[in-house]
Amino acid sequence: MPAVARAGRIAVMHGQAEVRRERAALSRAAAGGPNLGHHGDAEVAPGLVDLAVNVRRAAMPDWLRTPIVASLHELASYPDPAPARAAVAARHGRPADEVLLTAGAAEGFVLLAQALRGARRPVVVHPQFTEPEAALRAAGHQVERVLLPAANGFRLDPALVPADADLVFVGNPTNPTSVLHPAAVLTGLARPGRVLVVDEAFADTTVAPESSGPPESSGEPESLAARRDVPGLVVVRSLTKTWGLAGLRIGYLLGAGELLARLAAVQPLWAVATPALAAAAACATPTAVAAEREIAVRLAADRAHLVARLTELPGVRVAGVPASAFVLVHLAGADAVRLALRERGYAVRRGDTFPGLGTDWLRVAVRDTATSDAFVGVLAEILEA
Ligand SMILES: Cc1ncc(COP(=O)(O)O)c(C=O)c1O
């Protein structure tokens, strides 16, 4: 039985946790390597400080809560994506047909993999979030991996991408490396006959390094969300990270109207629920964008603090130049250190399930400075012992 059909049957037979385990095993078997179905949420358990999941946890602002709650009165009607689509389009300076709302960025990868089954040479640039490759494999694609070397700070080298790759996935900023690739390098990967997918799930966490002005001037450096001149470009966005909406499932794709129409054709009917649409519209307003910028500026300061503390520790190296809500850390024996951290109350993300990394890597979420200080203190004690 094909893997996808088998996973579907398992979903009917068992609970969600078992389905995920089984899906992970299928992905692993299909890929013949790291467990692509492993995600940070599997590392978290009650009582642990969560440094494994990159979702921001903070009180929901009124401008977001009010429309989500109000939408609960409309649940007897089927969802109407038009207002949210128009709001997201306005945010990114695009016409509405260049926006496709999805049940989280994760659904976007599935739509791309399913709609573009005709791709001859799909390539995924790693290390990166593993769901694009998992979705491609589940749709029957033979996936080629391009591995960016740690020695080069995981920076994107366009020469590594085969010239005839007709479907290319890159993350920016990239999970788990936190590296932000220059927009010009990414657009250099576009060419006629190629679909270039840039996963900007964490673009709203970035700020221009030289930004010293007010938060609203810090923009989203290197984002391609508003670029309508790049052939074959599809930008994937998520609203689940900064706004703590992982359980609501909301994201969107940006790209040429004809290409998005092909993706919409394979999307289940009413895929995005009414409360998620209310959230998408609210998160596209100038108030939301200004709030996002303030959060990103604060995050940059918290990240600088975490990086400074980590680099004081002997044998600990922070990869590349981190630009997002997490940092990637190299230390010998990180797999054993991760288990010791769990015993001391901290969940961090293992690195070995990302293609291109291994057991000497960990990903750590950026939190407030007090949490980072406490974490680094415990890590120092473990390393000393
Ligand atoms: C880089 C990246 N892209 C996309 C996603 C999926 O996000 P969503 O919750 O919007 O499906 C994640 C989730 O962890 C991610 O890390």
Side-chain angles (χ1 to χ4, degrees):
M1 187 186 299
V4 180
R6 216 178 124 210
R9 225 184 78 183
I10 293 157
V12 174
M13 292 184 326
H14 300 297
Q16 280 305 309
E18 281 166 273
V19 172
R20 286 190 48 173
R21 267 196 298 278
E22 188 70 21
R23 268 196 66 206
L26 291 170
S27 302
R28 193 163 57 245
N35 178 356
L36 300 181
H38 182 87
H39 295 294
D41 57 343
E43 317 255 5
V44 181
L48 294 182
V49 177
D50 173 10
L51 302 181
V53 176
N54 298 315
V55 171
R56 186 175 146 266
R57 286 175 189 269
M60 195 179 277
D62 283 344
W63 55 258
L64 180 54
R65 176 184 300 278
T66 302
I68 291 176
V69 171
S71 77
L72 300 181
H73 297 291
E74 296 158 30
L75 294 184
S77 305
Y78 284 100
D80 172 12
R85 195 180 194 195
V88 172
R91 172 188 174 168
H92 295 292
R94 288 172 168 271
D97 72 332
E98 295 185 4
V99 175
L100 180 62
L101 297 160
T102 56
E107 192 199 20
F109 302 130
V110 175
L111 301 183
L112 284 155
Q114 303 271 342
L116 305 179
R117 277 208 164 93
R120 289 180 314 280
R121 197 168 181 188
V123 165
V124 179
V125 178
H126 284 292
Q128 78 146 297
F129 186 51
T130 48
E131 280 302 307
E133 179 170 328
L136 286 166
R137 290 188 184 280
H141 292 273
Q142 299 285 325
V143 181
E144 226 170 297
R145 292 176 181 165
V146 163
L147 300 182
L148 301 180
N152 197 22
F154 297 109
R155 280 196 299 273
L156 180 58
D157 175 358
L160 296 177
V161 178
D164 60 346
D166 53 355
L167 177 55
V168 177
F169 285 79
V170 191
N172 207 40
T174 308
N175 173 12
T177 62
S178 203
V179 170
L180 183 64
H181 304 302
V185 175
L186 287 164
T187 55
L189 280 178
R191 59 206 59 203
R194 171 182 287 176
V195 173
L196 172 66
V197 182
V198 180
D199 176 4
E200 292 195 357
F202 287 97
D204 61 0
T205 64
T206 61
V207 286
E210 68 280 7
S211 165
S212 55
E216 61 273 20
S217 69
S218 62
E220 282 183 0
E222 321 307 341
S223 171
L224 301 179
R227 291 288 296 270
R228 307 182 59 212
D229 59 325
V230 183
L233 173 68
V234 177
V235 174
V236 181
R237 301 280 296 210
S238 171
L239 295 172
T240 71
K241 316 294 182 194
T242 295
W243 298 120
L245 299 175
L248 194 61
R249 313 308 306 132
I250 181 67
Y252 50 91
L253 303 176
L254 303 167
E258 319 83 73
L259 181 53
L260 292 197
R262 286 175 64 195
L263 305 181
V266 298
Q267 188 176 35
L269 191 57
W270 305 305
V272 185
T274 302
L277 294 171
C283 292
T285 62
T287 302
V289 175
E292 227 170 58
R293 291 295 82 219
E294 271 177 32
I295 292 166
V297 168
R298 228 175 307 133
L299 176 76
D302 288 344
R303 184 175 58 239
H305 182 85
L306 174 63
V307 170
R309 293 298 318 273
L310 284 169
T311 44
E312 286 165 7
L313 300 179
V316 172
R317 182 165 57 79
V318 173
V321 181
S324 191
F326 43 87
V327 299
L328 182 65
V329 171
H330 182 272
L331 75 160
D335 47 353
V337 171
R338 179 177 65 85
L339 297 178
L341 282 166
R342 277 187 86 77
E343 279 173 18
R344 300 285 306 272
Y346 288 90
V348 296
R349 170 65 160 96
R350 64 194 300 160
D352 59 334
T353 63
F354 288 105
L357 298 185
T359 52
D360 288 340
W361 296 92
L362 295 176
R363 191 193 68 198
V364 181
V366 176
R367 304 288 190 224
D368 59 88
T369 54
T371 305
S372 293
D373 285 344
F375 165 71
V376 173
V378 169
L379 178 58
E381 285 170 18
I382 290 170
L383 294 178
E384 268 169 39

PDB file of all heavy atoms in Angstrom, residues 77-91:
ATOM      1  N   SER A  77     -22.015  29.395   9.392  1.00  0.00           N
ATOM      2  CA  SER A  77     -21.827  29.656   7.954  1.00  0.00           C
ATOM      3  C   SER A  77     -20.499  29.074   7.487  1.00  0.00           C
ATOM      4  O   SER A  77     -19.533  29.014   8.262  1.00  0.00           O
ATOM      5  CB  SER A  77     -21.795  31.158   7.684  1.00  0.00           C
ATOM      6  OG  SER A  77     -22.940  31.768   8.195  1.00  0.00           O
ATOM      7  N   TYR A  78     -20.435  28.685   6.232  1.00  0.00           N
ATOM      8  CA  TYR A  78     -19.155  28.238   5.669  1.00  0.00           C
ATOM      9  C   TYR A  78     -18.199  29.429   5.609  1.00  0.00           C
ATOM     10  O   TYR A  78     -18.638  30.568   5.435  1.00  0.00           O
ATOM     11  CB  TYR A  78     -19.362  27.626   4.286  1.00  0.00           C
ATOM     12  CG  TYR A  78     -19.944  26.232   4.380  1.00  0.00           C
ATOM     13  CD1 TYR A  78     -21.301  26.007   4.191  1.00  0.00           C
ATOM     14  CD2 TYR A  78     -19.119  25.158   4.704  1.00  0.00           C
ATOM     15  CE1 TYR A  78     -21.835  24.732   4.316  1.00  0.00           C
ATOM     16  CE2 TYR A  78     -19.644  23.886   4.831  1.00  0.00           C
ATOM     17  CZ  TYR A  78     -20.991  23.672   4.637  1.00  0.00           C
ATOM     18  OH  TYR A  78     -21.499  22.418   4.771  1.00  0.00           O
ATOM     19  N   PRO A  79     -16.893  29.161   5.742  1.00  0.00           N
ATOM     20  CA  PRO A  79     -15.929  30.274   5.760  1.00  0.00           C
ATOM     21  C   PRO A  79     -15.882  31.024   4.426  1.00  0.00           C
ATOM     22  O   PRO A  79     -15.951  30.399   3.368  1.00  0.00           O
ATOM     23  CB  PRO A  79     -14.579  29.582   6.006  1.00  0.00           C
ATOM     24  CG  PRO A  79     -14.852  28.154   6.293  1.00  0.00           C
ATOM     25  CD  PRO A  79     -16.250  27.841   5.904  1.00  0.00           C
ATOM     26  N   ASP A  80     -15.719  32.349   4.526  1.00  0.00           N
ATOM     27  CA  ASP A  80     -15.566  33.182   3.329  1.00  0.00           C
ATOM     28  C   ASP A  80     -14.180  33.823   3.397  1.00  0.00           C
ATOM     29  O   ASP A  80     -13.954  34.751   4.179  1.00  0.00           O
ATOM     30  CB  ASP A  80     -16.643  34.271   3.297  1.00  0.00           C
ATOM     31  CG  ASP A  80     -16.390  35.271   2.172  1.00  0.00           C
ATOM     32  OD1 ASP A  80     -15.528  34.988   1.293  1.00  0.00           O
ATOM     33  OD2 ASP A  80     -17.035  36.342   2.170  1.00  0.00           O
ATOM     34  N   PRO A  81     -13.240  33.334   2.574  1.00  0.00           N
ATOM     35  CA  PRO A  81     -11.863  33.844   2.683  1.00  0.00           C
ATOM     36  C   PRO A  81     -11.663  35.231   2.067  1.00  0.00           C
ATOM     37  O   PRO A  81     -10.598  35.834   2.254  1.00  0.00           O
ATOM     38  CB  PRO A  81     -11.038  32.797   1.916  1.00  0.00           C
ATOM     39  CG  PRO A  81     -11.993  32.140   0.985  1.00  0.00           C
ATOM     40  CD  PRO A  81     -13.364  32.257   1.573  1.00  0.00           C
ATOM     41  N   ALA A  82     -12.656  35.774   1.348  1.00  0.00           N
ATOM     42  CA  ALA A  82     -12.419  36.994   0.553  1.00  0.00           C
ATOM     43  C   ALA A  82     -11.911  38.179   1.384  1.00  0.00           C
ATOM     44  O   ALA A  82     -10.902  38.800   1.006  1.00  0.00           O
ATOM     45  CB  ALA A  82     -13.680  37.362  -0.232  1.00  0.00           C
ATOM     46  N   PRO A  83     -12.545  38.524   2.523  1.00  0.00           N
ATOM     47  CA  PRO A  83     -12.039  39.711   3.256  1.00  0.00           C
ATOM     48  C   PRO A  83     -10.612  39.516   3.759  1.00  0.00           C
ATOM     49  O   PRO A  83      -9.783  40.437   3.669  1.00  0.00           O
ATOM     50  CB  PRO A  83     -13.025  39.853   4.426  1.00  0.00           C
ATOM     51  CG  PRO A  83     -14.258  39.097   4.013  1.00  0.00           C
ATOM     52  CD  PRO A  83     -13.778  37.984   3.132  1.00  0.00           C
ATOM     53  N   ALA A  84     -10.302  38.332   4.273  1.00  0.00           N
ATOM     54  CA  ALA A  84      -8.942  38.100   4.789  1.00  0.00           C
ATOM     55  C   ALA A  84      -7.937  38.127   3.638  1.00  0.00           C
ATOM     56  O   ALA A  84      -6.829  38.670   3.771  1.00  0.00           O
ATOM     57  CB  ALA A  84      -8.882  36.752   5.507  1.00  0.00           C
ATOM     58  N   ARG A  85      -8.332  37.572   2.511  1.00  0.00           N
ATOM     59  CA  ARG A  85      -7.440  37.550   1.353  1.00  0.00           C
ATOM     60  C   ARG A  85      -7.122  38.984   0.900  1.00  0.00           C
ATOM     61  O   ARG A  85      -5.964  39.325   0.622  1.00  0.00           O
ATOM     62  CB  ARG A  85      -8.161  36.787   0.233  1.00  0.00           C
ATOM     63  CG  ARG A  85      -7.295  36.367  -0.882  1.00  0.00           C
ATOM     64  CD  ARG A  85      -8.119  35.628  -1.906  1.00  0.00           C
ATOM     65  NE  ARG A  85      -7.259  34.933  -2.844  1.00  0.00           N
ATOM     66  CZ  ARG A  85      -7.672  34.438  -3.995  1.00  0.00           C
ATOM     67  NH1 ARG A  85      -8.956  34.525  -4.344  1.00  0.00           N
ATOM     68  NH2 ARG A  85      -6.829  33.827  -4.797  1.00  0.00           N
ATOM     69  N   ALA A  86      -8.171  39.817   0.879  1.00  0.00           N
ATOM     70  CA  ALA A  86      -7.970  41.217   0.473  1.00  0.00           C
ATOM     71  C   ALA A  86      -7.063  41.930   1.471  1.00  0.00           C
ATOM     72  O   ALA A  86      -6.181  42.713   1.084  1.00  0.00           O
ATOM     73  CB  ALA A  86      -9.323  41.918   0.380  1.00  0.00           C
ATOM     74  N   ALA A  87      -7.238  41.645   2.758  1.00  0.00           N
ATOM     75  CA  ALA A  87      -6.426  42.316   3.785  1.00  0.00           C
ATOM     76  C   ALA A  87      -4.953  41.907   3.663  1.00  0.00           C
ATOM     77  O   ALA A  87      -4.052  42.756   3.728  1.00  0.00           O
ATOM     78  CB  ALA A  87      -6.962  41.966   5.171  1.00  0.00           C
ATOM     79  N   VAL A  88      -4.706  40.618   3.459  1.00  0.00           N
ATOM     80  CA  VAL A  88      -3.319  40.138   3.333  1.00  0.00           C
ATOM     81  C   VAL A  88      -2.687  40.706   2.056  1.00  0.00           C
ATOM     82  O   VAL A  88      -1.521  41.134   2.050  1.00  0.00           O
ATOM     83  CB  VAL A  88      -3.277  38.594   3.327  1.00  0.00           C
ATOM     84  CG1 VAL A  88      -1.879  38.083   2.995  1.00  0.00           C
ATOM     85  CG2 VAL A  88      -3.739  38.043   4.677  1.00  0.00           C
ATOM     86  N   ALA A  89      -3.478  40.741   0.986  1.00  0.00           N
ATOM     87  CA  ALA A  89      -2.972  41.289  -0.280  1.00  0.00           C
ATOM     88  C   ALA A  89      -2.569  42.748  -0.089  1.00  0.00           C
ATOM     89  O   ALA A  89      -1.493  43.175  -0.543  1.00  0.00           O
ATOM     90  CB  ALA A  89      -4.048  41.152  -1.363  1.00  0.00           C
ATOM     91  N   ALA A  90      -3.423  43.513   0.605  1.00  0.00           N
ATOM     92  CA  ALA A  90      -3.118  44.934   0.826  1.00  0.00           C
ATOM     93  C   ALA A  90      -1.835  45.072   1.646  1.00  0.00           C
ATOM     94  O   ALA A  90      -0.989  45.924   1.369  1.00  0.00           O
ATOM     95  CB  ALA A  90      -4.287  45.614   1.529  1.00  0.00           C
ATOM     96  N   ARG A  91      -1.675  44.201   2.635  1.00  0.00           N
ATOM     97  CA  ARG A  91      -0.462  44.287   3.473  1.00  0.00           C
ATOM     98  C   ARG A  91       0.804  44.156   2.629  1.00  0.00           C
ATOM     99  O   ARG A  91       1.796  44.832   2.869  1.00  0.00           O
ATOM    100  CB  ARG A  91      -0.470  43.197   4.549  1.00  0.00           C
ATOM    101  CG  ARG A  91       0.860  43.179   5.272  1.00  0.00           C
ATOM    102  CD  ARG A  91       1.095  42.078   6.225  1.00  0.00           C
ATOM    103  NE  ARG A  91       2.487  42.208   6.684  1.00  0.00           N
ATOM    104  CZ  ARG A  91       3.017  41.570   7.699  1.00  0.00           C
ATOM    105  NH1 ARG A  91       2.273  40.747   8.386  1.00  0.00           N
ATOM    106  NH2 ARG A  91       4.268  41.748   8.031  1.00  0.00           N
TER     107      ARG A  91
END
